Amino acid sequence: MMDALSRAVTVWTRMENQPRDVNIDNCKRSLQKCARAITQLWGDVVAEEEQRKVGQKALV
């Protein structure tokens, strides 16, 4: 996950400082990898939330 976040920060920094010099294809690939990692993390968080809800219902 940290690799994905560092990729996003790198793209952001380059776009802020050298927008005309960036390799757009590389930026898009990096952001796609970041999006996949964030989507996976989102799924993990939602699954954990659901498990906790099930656990709380079992205690009631």
Side-chain angles (χ1 to χ4, degrees):
M1 183 63 185
M2 291 306 293
D3 181 54
L5 291 177
S6 68
R7 288 173 186 268
V9 170
T10 298
V11 170
W12 176 35
T13 301
R14 289 182 180 163
M15 290 299 295
E16 285 288 316
N17 297 316
Q18 309 162 342
R20 297 204 182 270
D21 297 332
V22 299
N23 182 317
I24 297 298
D25 289 333
N26 287 347
C27 289
K28 288 170 67 175
R29 273 192 299 277
S30 292
L31 292 174
Q32 286 172 338
K33 289 178 182 179
C34 183
R36 281 193 291 272
I38 289 172
T39 300
Q40 177 63 50
L41 184 58
W42 179 265
D44 294 347
V45 169
V46 170
E48 179 64 25
E49 178 184 42
E50 290 302 315
Q51 282 200 343
R52 289 182 185 187
K53 285 180 183 177
V54 169
Q56 287 177 347
K57 286 181 184 177
L59 292 175
V60 174

